Amino acid sequence: MSQDNANTTQDTIFGRIIRGEIPVERIHDDDVCMAFRDIAPVAPVHLLVIPKTAVQSLGHASTAHEVMLGHLLRVAGELGRQYCPGGFRVVANSGVDAGQSVDHLHLHVLGGRHMSWPPG
Ligand code: 5GP
């Protein structure tokens, strides 16, 4: 996979971030995914992990995406361990009812405070 794949999919703000058109501090960057801080954090630590191949949502993922999804989760876990030693939550909002606002699959890594359950 390469960054060029971002040009072949439905474009979103995350596609522009992947292509470097919108600058962000890349706290993780590899061939498959990148991570950066959410612009509107809802927790002291709020990171986004996004694949460089755009899939609209987790609900649109298929068997073809299994390796990428596993990679995303591993990176999210490593970032959570690194940035949130007290624990963290990984969230993938998928679709309207879940409040997904950017149609490019992404994982939220949230931590730095206690979180209640169930989520709102
Ligand atoms: P969703 O609501 O789709 O699950 O999550 C999308 C997230 O992307 C939101 O938490 C929102 O704050 C974040 N976001 C939207 N646009 C930008 C941006 O331009 N830069 C960054 N860093 N985050 C963004």
Side-chain angles (χ1 to χ4, degrees):
M1 275 185 270
S2 76
Q3 290 198 11
D4 293 341
N5 290 335
N7 295 316
T8 63
T9 55
Q10 181 189 8
D11 207 15
T12 66
I13 194 94
F14 289 172
R16 298 187 63 200
I17 288 173
I18 291 166
R19 293 194 299 273
E21 295 167 10
I22 298 174
V24 294
E25 180 193 355
R26 297 178 182 225
I27 61 175
H28 177 90
D29 194 8
D30 63 34
D31 285 347
V32 176
C33 71
M34 60 179 286
F36 50 93
R37 289 186 177 78
D38 197 291
I39 201 169
V42 298
V45 178
H46 187 169
L47 311 177
L48 298 171
V49 184
I50 68 172
K52 289 183 175 174
T53 50
V55 179
Q56 185 173 333
S57 76
L58 190 59
H60 289 79
S62 69
T63 52
H65 301 117
E66 282 180 0
V67 172
M68 175 271 283
L69 290 170
H71 183 85
L72 248 59
L73 269 180
R74 181 183 63 75
V75 169
E78 288 177 2
L79 292 172
R81 188 170 65 232
Q82 181 181 352
Y83 284 84
C84 314
F88 57 92
R89 184 173 291 176
V90 176
V91 173
N93 295 322
S94 181
V96 175
D97 281 356
Q100 183 178 4
S101 62
V102 178
D103 286 340
H104 180 129
L105 189 155
H106 50 282
L107 300 180
H108 297 258
V109 179
L110 301 157
R113 65 167 169 79
H114 180 77
M115 279 171 274
S116 59
W117 190 264

